[in-house]
Structures are given as structure tokens and as C-alpha cells.
Amino acid sequence: MNDELLKQGRESYSWARHNMPAVLLAESAVKKKKRLPFKGLLLAASLHVSKETAVLLCALKNLGLSIKLAAANPLSSQSDIVAYLNSEGIEVNAKREESISEYNAALRHLARSEPDLIVDDGGQLHVEYWKSKVDSCFGGTDETTSGTHRLRALDARGELKYPVIVVNEAKTKYLFDNRYGTGQSSIDGVLRATDALLAGKVVVVAGYGWVGKGVAMRARGFGSRVIVTEVSPLRATEAYLDGYDVMPMQRASSLGDIFLTCTGQTDAISKEHFLKMKNGAVVGNCGHFDTEINVRQLVALSSSIELVRANLERYNIGKSKAIYLLCQGRVVNLVAGEGHPPEIMQFSFANQLLCLDYLVSNRSEIARGKIKLLSVPEQIDDLVSEFALRCFRLDIDKLSAKQKKYGWSFIR
Amino acid sequence: MNDELLKQGRESYSWARHNMPAVLLAESAVKKKKRLPFKGLLLAASLHVSKETAVLLCALKNLGLSIKLAAANPLSSQSDIVAYLNSEGIEVNAKREESISEYNAALRHLARSEPDLIVDDGGQLHVEYWKSKVDSCFGGTDETTSGTHRLRALDARGELKYPVIVVNEAKTKYLFDNRYGTGQSSIDGVLRATDALLAGKVVVVAGYGWVGKGVAMRARGFGSRVIVTEVSPLRATEAYLDGYDVMPMQRASSLGDIFLTCTGQTDAISKEHFLKMKNGAVVGNCGHFDTEINVRQLVALSSSIELVRANLERYNIGKSKAIYLLCQGRVVNLVAGEGHPPEIMQFSFANQLLCLDYLVSNRSEIARGKIKLLSVPEQIDDLVSEFALRCFRLDIDKLSAKQKKYGWSFIR
Amino acid sequence: MNDELLKQGRESYSWARHNMPAVLLAESAVKKKKRLPFKGLLLAASLHVSKETAVLLCALKNLGLSIKLAAANPLSSQSDIVAYLNSEGIEVNAKREESISEYNAALRHLARSEPDLIVDDGGQLHVEYWKSKVDSCFGGTDETTSGTHRLRALDARGELKYPVIVVNEAKTKYLFDNRYGTGQSSIDGVLRATDALLAGKVVVVAGYGWVGKGVAMRARGFGSRVIVTEVSPLRATEAYLDGYDVMPMQRASSLGDIFLTCTGQTDAISKEHFLKMKNGAVVGNCGHFDTEINVRQLVALSSSIELVRANLERYNIGKSKAIYLLCQGRVVNLVAGEGHPPEIMQFSFANQLLCLDYLVSNRSEIARGKIKLLSVPEQIDDLVSEFALRCFRLDIDKLSAKQKKYGWSFIR
Amino acid sequence: MNDELLKQGRESYSWARHNMPAVLLAESAVKKKKRLPFKGLLLAASLHVSKETAVLLCALKNLGLSIKLAAANPLSSQSDIVAYLNSEGIEVNAKREESISEYNAALRHLARSEPDLIVDDGGQLHVEYWKSKVDSCFGGTDETTSGTHRLRALDARGELKYPVIVVNEAKTKYLFDNRYGTGQSSIDGVLRATDALLAGKVVVVAGYGWVGKGVAMRARGFGSRVIVTEVSPLRATEAYLDGYDVMPMQRASSLGDIFLTCTGQTDAISKEHFLKMKNGAVVGNCGHFDTEINVRQLVALSSSIELVRANLERYNIGKSKAIYLLCQGRVVNLVAGEGHPPEIMQFSFANQLLCLDYLVSNRSEIARGKIKLLSVPEQIDDLVSEFALRCFRLDIDKLSAKQKKYGWSFIR
């Protein structure tokens, strides 16, 4: 069984690696400057234990890092990847379907292992490290909007002690990853969990940030009618002009066939909405944390709960109504699907790798700086853009000398 | 293990049944006329052994039929459904991943079991029955374009001895099932097998019949650029006006990232095309039979073959090129995915059920007829349309008396 | 002024001719058999007096026909084209914005001029000819669904005395012309008349035949949310699965921003709907006849009517509500826009030309036949398909010998 | 004639006003603070002389401003609007189809008239004012990306003497106006000028900024196949992931049927591209200035030039090739069409009005500031967002108290 898992993990890793040349380009770019720039350093990483993560971590290991990994979500770890990473000498503190306490214990363990660097997806590991009062870390990164919120809160209290690069705000991250990656993989997750026909269905997308835009676009691409709910007037107007119905969740509740939360918020769907939903409504979450759907309130409303198929539970409310919950409210694309396709993930992870190199290379300078939450340096963002052209084999125009001067010419 | 399978099969069946009210409406409509209209009759059915098929067969069993089932494809049978159907007293002659000889033997066994009725998907069982020289059957149906071709060939030679209703030509079948069902589930199958990002990819769709239209539409809906290849000037022009690139397969071969055959033909992709493909091209089939991609020629070209993940094989050609084949060239949506979503399948199967009732109820009249290949009676097609409105809870307008007379008014 | 008009007409004709190579291919194909096949014959034609029609008529004149033309719609005639056709020796009985009685008189005049052949768009000329009791005509054609309805009514009473080819039922007509031609040009007409932003608007499309499909597709393509109303369960289901909202017109009335009728029926929008519409609703017709919107009832409801801009009238209802009517309820794409783009129109007109040749070439045979309403002969439809490939410079695959035999191979 | 023009101008103005409630909301908001806040001040405005501009200027006049207007483009002025504005006491220095020297003279005249405020669209009036050495102006605004470039050049040389608010960078401007406004109206302009069928055509969009995104989206929405050219790796990748073909203009030149420039640059299409284009290619510009297509080089290549229809010229190159140029290379949506629909334009103009109020209200403070190029104040952007909700009658969610605190909760 373990041999089988390991073999499967190796295949899975190889397939992802084949589809993530940008990570390898980043690894090469760093190696060109110095063969083992990370030698002697320990990285604590809280990431989704997926084939794509394995590609990043193996590239970092090749550059000399020691690595300890915990899951970024208690339900999303792939057993075969756990096996493979262990065989590669990376310490994995995660397993398929762990309990919340196991998940938290793993984060605590990592925080206390005195890491030099922290890579996080959601900010939970940064928060655990802060709670642990350890003082070993000199720099970190975070992958998501959700994590950025948490880090900003810490920073505002003056309690963020080391610089963290907010990878989510790289253009080559949020423009690609959230729309195309989460968009496709969330719908993919819904299909795997439900086998539902999307054509004709009313899909309610809560939140029209980059993730919501991607999910709405792909739901429409499969023939669904999309309703968007928002709290921002600007984004609501954008959704309207993009041709979607826009209304408050309270009104959408009675119209939707499938609900997908993309808010980065808590309680995007709660009791008052469950009460108005149609019999047979399907509810799922595409955001990082499982707080977007108030599952506790759904449980309280239900007389019984049954597992219908993997990742699909039926909550029976009263005599004639059932609501179907996807993945217990955890992020649909990673729990029911495989997360972002590797071809998208490669750019976020190329950013991650180059940012770690930047933190190490500029350690003393950065340490002196007062600003703790850093943007991805523009040259890294630009380099990853160039990688994207190479990965997708795109050939584009260059500005001519005349064009470079244009704009100035008018005032001469 | 068997208990687990049976439980899973029952859940799977329940979920499909929940999503196929049209089959239950058809069952009720028949039952209203007579409680057990099929009593004493034996049905031989060659269908994909899926949760949706289970819903049809259980409804038929409830109407009194005895049933023997074989697979319509050697790779597409679901083990849990086999277990469930067996438990329901339906004889299943199929298993997950059977060999070609097992598959053929099962068809032969059914043909020789002296069935009264034959339900087929692809026409292979009708052909086997014809070869077997048995003379028990008084009527049948077939589900697909591919089957219709075979039956037409038999009929042209005067060797079709019993009436067969060509369900594929019902408007409520081909307008819904092929476009929305195969379209969605084929792309779903590609995602499950490859986890590939579709955005930006060049997807080559061979054939722009109803299946090709559906696959092209959904590939575009996920951000792919689509090239259509065709042999019909009319359909080629339609694809062009729908905004797709149109060109011969020979030219498309060097441009495509993913190739999907939807032709109902043989050799839509063959040696000359493999030779021109890019390194990393992915090739799959959405048509009924595995003849659309000439796998034998691909094997001959390759120095080695590796399984990359479930349903994805890598064919290594020369030193620097690999072609990835989906599902061994068998129908992608059923082998890598779950086939048409139940909500679509319900209309084809409502047609099937009502057509069997029609054959039994009008047995003597039909027998006297000279025409052996019958269309779905218009009243059945209309009834299934009405079911569709009910299933999707659609409310529509009715012609007023004035409108009914309109058109005639001009010549008075 | 007249010189200016003539010059403009010639330019307009040239631009259309440049974009209608299929009509020239048809002319050549006929000329190859005989230089002046139509010599000595008189054609009465009721067509939209547009640049595209000029291309057809000049091609027919080149083949020897004498031609008298009347408008197919009192509002759609282009003055410059009238001038140009007159200069080419074609008798035009039409002008920009003629009254209903002028329009009818022109049709009567044509009917009584003892034509040998009749080409019609909407069937009104055929009906006038039937009323006139003249007996000169030996064959005709008609272009539209609306015309087909009228001819069928005549035929059912046994009063259609000469064969008429129903061009609308050619695949190369209805598959292209209605969806892509009417779709684009109707939306174009709405934009020219209103300068409205379509993004976000609710567009109600009445009828989901080929025209409705085209209009819905293009409205969505400009960012509108589309509601479809239908009377056919089948087409309603198709619209639903294509991702449109489907509901009765009564309900849609209070939701729509823009209403477009595509039904071929009378009273698709009438009093009960006007009463429920929002202040500011815009109402237009994309069907052939101006019966789809009950304008008389709208007038009766209104306290005053003002012209807002060309082709846009404001109907004031009560104190706080206005409804905007496009083109007085006449066909939007021809009155506010330029009708189908020439590149689409060329296929209908190539069919027209080849059908007239067919009627003349097979005159005696057809006369003996009992069936009066004829389909476009398959070889003509196929030839026009081939023209389409040439016009759009499309290169496609051909069936191999092996593929031609496929399907039969299974029963050997 | 003049009476007719004036009447038409008044109607046109009324129709625009009806569709621009946001400008009226802005006027009210300002008036609520002070009845005539602009009394005694002179505004020099260089704007497209369109019905929408009339709505802005009349609102400003109602607030007490004296106004002198010049065109922002020599070809885009509407004669009826000139007549109407004159009748309202606004001095208009523009006419339909003015020469370049007339256009420049008008700008010079305005610059020298010692304005207190300057509103510009493209930055040319700001540049003229700078050249004129007058010193009366204490604040201004500019509407476009092109203008921002020019102002930045001036500012970099330390020669921008008064604060200018860059309206283009308001979210409620660039997110709405460029994509939905320019997108729709540019395609509308192409249709009016050419009557071309868009379905199936290859449309080459140069530049994938907000304008290019809008034009590409709408061309696709009408069935075109779109090729994007870019100089930015990031935007090129975005276009690719949005499903467009991406390549250098040199390669696109031989593939395109219609070319539309959206770069804000010079020479996006020049000699080397004309040489590779197909016979019949159509070329047009959607950017502010007429430098994007190098028309001089096209003239030099051509043996003759003919006007085909309004706004469409045929350039004959050698014996067998013609290239069609739209609107002499000037901005297609304003010259061949009516510019942005009023419903979109209202938000830019609400921003303009509120920014002028801001400049006047905060005159002394701003004057002391060192930064001369100002962003639209966030509170104005937010207010316009709120107007958008009201104009489109959108109802949205509000954050609950619990949600407002979320994000902070994790670190407690």
C-alpha cells in the first residue's frame, strides 16, 4: 500500500513538474547566482499538500533549504504526496482528513521548531508563530488575501517582528491565479462532488473579487445563469455591467440552485439564507477559510445529515427540504478537486521561490527597514511575467525607439 | 468490500434518481395505463453501466420487465452500480475494465438469451443478435448516432427483422443530450484525467455535429481557443460563423494542445496527424466507439508507453516528443468522468422507456409495417418536452386563439 | 440631388457586390450552362430595396430577366438604391417611407403586370397575385418563414397554382441568415436608434426560433442579460439550457429594459404587457411583419407621442411612464439599420438565383408535379455550401475511402 | 436648416440627459452645498462635441460657470449639438469636419482666453495653455490615458503650474468607461461604417489595456475571432488566458480581416504591416489620437484613394490589393458612431463635475501643495459608485458588525 502510494505520489509530482516550468526557471535563475543559497536554513511551510506544492518544495530543497511542512487546510492533503515528500526528506506534518486539533497541533509544532523562514497560505502559521513567542524567523511570505488580512492586523498592532512579502499582491499572482486557477478548479470541484448539470442552473456567486470573477466566468461558460452578491458598490456595478444579475444574498437565496462563496469573509451564507433556499439547493465555499458558510447554523436547522457521495452531504430541514453542502464548507477546489491546475500555480510558486531568495539575499537591509509588510519587488513580478511568456510560448511586440519617446513628443 | 460497494452503489443510484424525475414521470405515465405492461418479457440491454442506467432499468423492472445487462463499452462500467443492480435482481454481465473478449462474450450471451426486446447504445448488441440467428425479439431501440449507422446498414440489406426505434433522432434527445450532456461531461473527463488548465489552450474539436458543438462550446466556456475540423461544407461554415477556427486536421495537428474527436467516424486522428503534433499534445475521444483515434498507429510510432495518472498514458515518440492519450482512446466522458449528468440523461431515458411501451402496446400493428427503422413517435417527443418543462420548473406562454389562426388570416 | 443619390447608390451597390461573391459565383454557374437563360421572361419581385437586393437583381438582369420591383416593407427602402436600380433599367415601385396604401398599390401593380416568375419576401406578393386572378406565373420563390406560412395556407386550400420554392428552408439560408444576419443587424439597429448601453440591460427576446437565437446570442455578446419567452416546450427548454432566463411574457414585462419580438406571430406584445412594463422600456420588432407588437393598443394607452430621434418614438402613458417604440413596430434591422450584412445575404440570394434557374430549366416537369410548395433542391443547397467555403476561404477535410465505408464494416 | 438643427440638438440633448442621471445627481450634490459655486469663473473645455458633453456643460452652467468649448477631435463634432449649446449661451469653437489648423486655432483661442479652469480630453488644451504662457488657470482635469501621458511629461519638467486631477484614474472611470463604453461604441462604429458581418472575422486588437479589453470582448461577443498584440508581458499573458490569440503585429498583419488600434501609442500599425495585410483588410483606430495608424505611410503606398461610403476609404495598393481605412484613422467610436453611450459617459462626467467643485472648494489648500497631478479624491470615487447603484437600480448587501471585525478576530 505504501509503495503504491509512493509510486502514485512520484507520478503525480512528475506530472505537476512537467506542467510547472516557471518554478524550474525560477530555481535556475537563483542557482545561477549561487549554488546553494538557502543552505543551513530551516523553512516552516503551511501549504496545501498537493502535487504543485511538492514541485515548489523540491525546488527549494535543491537550493539547500531544510523544510518542515504542515497542511493549510485539514481536508485537502493528498496521501500520495505526503508519501512522496517524506521519501524526499521533507518532514510532513499532515494527513488526509485530519481533525482540527491535529491541524492546529501541526501548525504549533512548526512554529516552535525555530524556523528561519515561514511560507504560509492563509496566515495561520504566521499567527501561530506569533503566539508561540519564538524568535528565530527573519522573513516570510504569504500566498492569499485571507493571509494578508491577518498579517495586516498583526502589523497594525506593531507585533509583526519580521518582514513578510505579500505574494498575493503580485500582479502575476492575483491576475492569473485567482481568476483562471480558482475559477476553473472550483467549478471542477463542484462537478466532481455533484455530477450536476450546470447548463440552465442559477449559480449564486457571493463576492466579485478576483476569485468571484473567475468562478462567475466559468459558471457562465458552462451555461449557468449567474447571480452576484456584493458589499462594494464598485464591484457590484462591475458585475452588473459584466451581464450578471446583482442582488442582496437574502433575495438570491430563494432563486439559486448552487451557491458558491468567494468573499474572504465570515457568514456570507448563514441561517437567514438557508431558511429561504429552495429544496435541493447546493452550497459550497471557494474561499480559503471555512467561515464563509455558517455550517454550525445549518447543522442546528437540520433534523438529520447524510453523506450522499464523497464531499456531498444532505442536510434535511423539516419534512420537505434538503440542502446539500459541499466539502463540509471547506474550500471546494482543493477538497473535491485538485486545486489550481499546475500551469497556473507555477507563477505563484515562482514568485514564492524568488521572494524567499530576495529575503535571504537582502536580509540585513530589509531587517533595518520599518515596513514589515512588503510587496513583491517589481523586478520579480516582471521576471515572472517573462517566465509566463516562455511557458506559454508567446511572442510579442517590443516598443520601438520612436514609441518609447512618444508622449513626450507633444510638449516639444 | 462488497457491502461497501453495494452501499455506495445504492447512494449513487439514489443521487441519480433524485436528479432524473423525467424517468419517474415516464414510469408513472405508463403505469397509469396498465400496472405491469412488460410482465413476462425479457429485455437484453447493452448500456453504459452507470448510475443513470440503473434508474432506467429499475423503472423498467417496476413495470414488470426481466432484464439482462451488458456494458456498452469495456472500460466504462461502475463497480458499485454492478453490485447494486445485481442486488435488485438485474443480471449484469459487465465489470470495471473488462477485456475486449469479455465484452464481446457478454454481448453474445445476451443475444443468445432469446430476448423479447433489445435496448442498445451503439448498435453492437443488435449486430450480435443478427449474427446469432436467434429469432425471439419483436422490437428494440438504440440510443446513438453510431448505432443508427449500423442499423441502417443492416436495414439496407433487408436483414433487420424487427422494428427498432432510433431514439437518437428524437428532438428531446439530440438537442439536449449531445450538446449539453456530452459537452459538459467530456470537458469534465478531460479535467479529471489531466488537471490541465484550459484557459489559453488550443483545443482541436474534430467534427461539428451536436457532440462537437457541445464540446467546442464548453471548451470555449473555459477559456480555450477552439479549432474545428469537418468534412461537411455546411457544418464547417457554421463553425466558422460561430467564431471558431476551421481547417483540415493536417494543419490543426501542429497547432493543437488538446485534441477531442467527435466524428462518429474512424481515423479522425491517425499517423499523419501524430507525426505533426507538438510535444505534450493530449489526445482524447468523445465519440461512442474507440475507432476515432487510430491508437494502433500511435503504439507503432512509440518507443515506450507509461501510465502517468489514471486514464492518462504517455506515448514516447523519438527522443524529444511525447503524446498523451486519454482513456486508451475510449469515450472520455464515461471512462474518466461520470458520463452525461443525470439531469440530461433523464430525457433520453424517458424516451427509451416510452418507446419500449410503444413497441409493446402496438406490437401487432408495428410488426405488419414494412419500415423497420422507426422514428420516436411525435407524441412521445412532445410528452418528453412537457416533462422537461416540469423538471426544470419552467413556465411558458400559450398561443391565444387569435394567434392560432394567424397566418391563415392573410389570405381571407 | 438625384445625381448625388445615384452616385451614392452606385457606391453602395459596389460595396455590397464586393461582399457578395456567392451571388456572382451563382451567376457564373448558371451562365456557364446558357448565356441568357432568363431571356424574354418577366420577374415580379417584392424585396427589401437594399444594396444587397440590387446585387441579386443586377445578376438576374445579366442573365436576361426583365424585372419589376416593389418593396417588402413600407419603411425599409433606400432612396439611393431606388435611383441606382432605375438607372440600370429595373422598374422600381418603391420609395423611402411610403404609406401603406402606396405599398399595397405597388404590390397590386406588380401582380397585375403578368409576371412569369415571382420572387417574394414575406408572401404578400404571392397573396396579391392570387387575389388578382391573373394567370401568367409559372413559378416563384419566397424568402421567409412568414411567407412560408401564407403559402402553406394557400396551398392547403388548393389555390396555389404554380410551384413555389421555399428558400427559407434551405439549410444554407436558415442556418446562416437568421442567426448571424438578423442577430447582428437587429442589435445594430437597436444601437443606431437608441445609442443605449447594452451591458447590464435586461433584453427580453420573444421567440427562440432561428431569429430569436441570433438576437439572444448577440444581445448576450454585448453584455445584456436575456430573458426568452416561448410557446414551444422544446424551444423553451433549449433556451433554458443555453443559459437564458425563460418565463411567460406577462412576467417578463415588468423586468425587461428592451423587448425584441422574433415570433413570426401576432400580438407577441400587447396591452396587458405594456401595462406591466417599467418606465423607460424600449420595444422593437425583429420579425418580418409589423403585427408582432400591437401598436394600435399602445397608441390607445398613450396620452401623447413624441419623436425622440430617428426611429425612436416616446409613448407617454399616464403621468410617470413612457414606453419607447422602435421603427413604429416595423422590422428593426432594416428600418433603423441596413438589414443583414451582405456577406450573409449572399447565400440566401445565391439560393434565390439558382432556384429561379431551376424553375426555368425544369419548367415542364415541375408543372406536371402535384406538390406546389417545393424545398430547395439538395444539389443547390450543397452548391451554396461549397460557395460558402470559397467565400470565407475555408479549407476542410475530405472523407477517405476507408471512412466512406465505415459504418458498413461492422456488419460484415 | 438652423432651426431644424437646433430642434434636433435639443432632442439629442434631452435623450442623453434622460440617460445620464448621475450627472444630475452630481449637480444636485454640489448645489446642496452652495447654489452657484462656480459663479464668476471661466471654464475652457476641450471635449468631444457630443450630446453627452452637452449634458455636462449645461449642468456646469447651471452651477454658475461661464464656458468656452473647443473640440477634442477635428472630425467628431455634432452640428446639432453645436447649435444647441450656442443657444444655451455656451461659446462653441468647433464644427463638423474642421481642418487641423481650425482645430488647433480653436485650442489656442481657448488657451488665450484666460480661463480659470481647464477641462480636457487628451491633454492638448493643457499643452496649448502651457505654450501660450498665460497665467490665469488655477486648476484642471483631464479625461484620458493619452492626456495623462502628456501631463506627466509636463510635470516631470516642472512646468505644470496648476493642479490637474487625472479623472481617467478614478475607478469609476477606467473600470466602466473604457471597457463597456469604448468596447460597445467602437464595434458600433465599425458596423455603421462598414456594415460588415463580424461573425467569423479575424479582428486584430492592438493593445490589451482597458480599451483593448473592451473592444476584444465585444468583437468576440459578435462572433469574431480575436488576435491581441501587446508590448507588455503581463497583459499579453492576460489576453492569452482570456482565450485570445496573442502574437506580434507583424504576424497578425497577414491574418487579420479587421484591425483596431487601442494602444495610446504611435505607429501601432505602419508600413511594414500594411505590406503584409490581405486584400480587403479594414483598419481603424479606437484610441484618442490619430497617431496609432501611420496614415501617411498608407497614403505613400497607395496608387489611389476612393471614398466607398461615409467614413470608409479604399486605399489601392498595387494592382490587386486594397486596404480600407475607417474615419481617416481618427477615433472610430466618435467619428462613425456616437461615442460612449450616455449611460456610461455619465460616470466620467459626474467625476468631472465633482472634481471641478473640489478644485474650487479647496483652491487655496491645493495651491500650496507640491504635487500637481492629483488623483480623483477617494470620497468622490465612492460617491460616484453610489450614484451607479442608484442609476442602475441595484440593491446590494451591507457588511454586518461581525463581518466588519472579521480578519482581526484571528489574532485575539
Side-chain angles (χ1 to χ4, degrees), chain C residues 11 15 18 51 184 191-192 194-198 201 218 221-223 308-309 312 324 338 341-344, chain D residues 11 15 18 51 184 191-192 194-198 201 218 221-223 308-309 324 338 341-344:
Chain C
E11 278 169 9
W15 180 240
H18 168 70
K51 58 188 189 302
Q184 173 177 310
L191 293 182
R192 297 195 199 197
T194 65
D195 197 27
L197 176 72
L198 290 187
K201 288 283 184 348
R218 292 304 174 231
F222 262 35
V308 176
R309 342 192 312 155
L312 186 69
Y324 294 86
E338 302 180 54
E343 290 147 289
I344 275 298
Chain D
E11 280 169 9
W15 179 239
H18 168 70
K51 59 189 186 304
Q184 173 177 310
L191 293 181
R192 296 195 200 197
T194 64
D195 198 27
L197 175 73
L198 289 187
K201 287 284 181 352
R218 292 306 173 231
F222 262 36
V308 176
R309 340 191 314 153
Y324 294 87
E338 301 180 55
E343 290 147 291
I344 274 298

Side-chain angles (χ1 to χ4, degrees), chain C residues 42-271:
Chain C
L42 174 64
L43 170 72
S46 168
L47 293 167
H48 296 286
V49 185
S50 66
K51 58 188 189 302
E52 292 81 13
T53 292
V55 175
L56 172 64
L57 297 185
C58 288
L60 289 171
K61 203 196 108 207
N62 291 343
L63 295 167
L65 261 188
S66 297
I67 302 171
K68 286 174 194 280
L69 174 67
N73 184 307
L75 296 187
S76 68
S77 299
Q78 305 295 326
S79 307
D80 59 338
I81 295 298
V82 173
Y84 177 68
L85 286 174
N86 277 324
S87 83
E88 287 291 306
I90 289 166
E91 180 189 314
V92 187
N93 303 273
K95 62 176 185 188
R96 184 81 193 161
E97 302 207 12
E98 56 196 10
S99 67
I100 299 291
S101 63
E102 287 171 322
Y103 161 73
N104 285 327
L107 290 177
R108 254 192 326 272
H109 166 67
L110 255 64
R112 289 171 186 173
S113 64
E114 308 209 329
D116 302 289
L117 293 160
I118 290 175
V119 165
D120 202 357
D121 186 315
Q124 269 320 73
L125 180 55
H126 288 296
V127 170
E128 278 305 328
Y129 179 84
W130 164 75
K131 287 184 186 162
S132 74
K133 312 283 177 192
V134 179
D135 186 24
S136 59
C137 180
F138 68 85
T141 65
D142 195 273
E143 175 80 11
T144 62
T145 316
S146 301
T148 309
H149 286 324
R150 275 138 205 69
L151 289 161
R152 220 160 255 157
L154 269 183
D155 196 31
R157 291 169 52 150
E159 307 210 357
L160 187 60
K161 299 300 186 193
Y162 50 91
V164 179
I165 301 183
V166 176
V167 174
N168 189 55
E169 293 180 2
K171 286 179 194 151
T172 47
K173 202 284 186 179
Y174 75 84
L175 280 181
F176 300 163
D177 186 295
N178 295 343
R179 260 187 303 175
Y180 309 106
T182 317
Q184 173 177 310
S185 58
S186 297
I187 296 301
D188 182 22
V190 170
L191 293 182
R192 297 195 199 197
T194 65
D195 197 27
L197 176 72
L198 290 187
K201 288 283 184 348
V202 173
V203 174
V204 178
V205 176
Y208 202 62
W210 294 108
V211 169
K213 282 183 173 70
V215 170
M217 174 167 75
R218 292 304 174 231
R220 171 186 278 178
F222 262 35
S224 297
R225 290 169 289 153
V226 174
I227 294 173
V228 170
T229 72
E230 249 301 338
V231 294
S232 146
L234 190 83
R235 289 204 288 232
T237 305
E238 208 181 353
Y240 166 83
L241 289 171
D242 282 341
Y244 300 114
D245 271 306
V246 175
M247 62 184 72
M249 182 56 88
Q250 190 63 11
R251 186 134 50 89
S253 296
S254 60
L255 300 174
D257 296 305
I258 299 175
F259 295 77
L260 296 170
T261 54
C262 315
T263 64
Q265 256 293 351
T266 186
D267 285 8
I269 296 181
S270 60
K271 186 178 172 182

Side-chain angles (χ1 to χ4, degrees), chain A residues 43-47 70-72 103 107 118-128 140-144 147 150-151 162 164-165 167 288 352:
Chain A
L43 170 72
S46 167
L47 293 166
Y103 161 72
L107 290 176
I118 291 176
V119 166
D120 201 358
D121 185 315
Q124 268 322 72
L125 180 54
H126 289 296
V127 171
E128 279 305 328
T141 66
D142 195 275
E143 174 81 11
T144 63
R150 274 140 205 70
L151 289 161
Y162 49 90
V164 179
I165 301 183
V167 174
H288 184 82
Q352 289 277 16

Side-chain angles (χ1 to χ4, degrees), chain D residues 364-378:
Chain D
S364 49
E365 268 168 88
I366 299 172
R368 281 193 298 274
K370 287 206 165 151
I371 298 168
K372 291 305 174 203
L373 275 183
L374 306 173
S375 297
V376 171
E378 210 172 323

Side-chain angles (χ1 to χ4, degrees), chain D residues 120-123 142-149 166-168 173 288:
Chain D
D120 202 357
D121 186 315
D142 195 274
E143 175 81 11
T144 61
T145 315
S146 301
T148 309
H149 287 323
V166 177
V167 174
N168 189 56
K173 201 286 184 173
H288 184 82

Side-chain angles (χ1 to χ4, degrees), chain B residues 155 160 162-164 366-375:
Chain B
D155 195 29
L160 187 61
Y162 51 91
V164 179
I366 298 171
R368 280 194 298 274
K370 286 208 166 153
I371 299 170
K372 291 305 175 203
L373 274 184
L374 306 174
S375 298

Side-chain angles (χ1 to χ4, degrees), chain A residues 269-287:
Chain A
I269 296 181
S270 59
K271 186 178 171 182
E272 73 214 80
H273 309 121
F274 295 129
L275 288 174
K276 298 201 68 179
M277 286 181 190
K278 293 192 287 198
N279 177 32
V282 173
V283 179
N285 166 41
C286 306

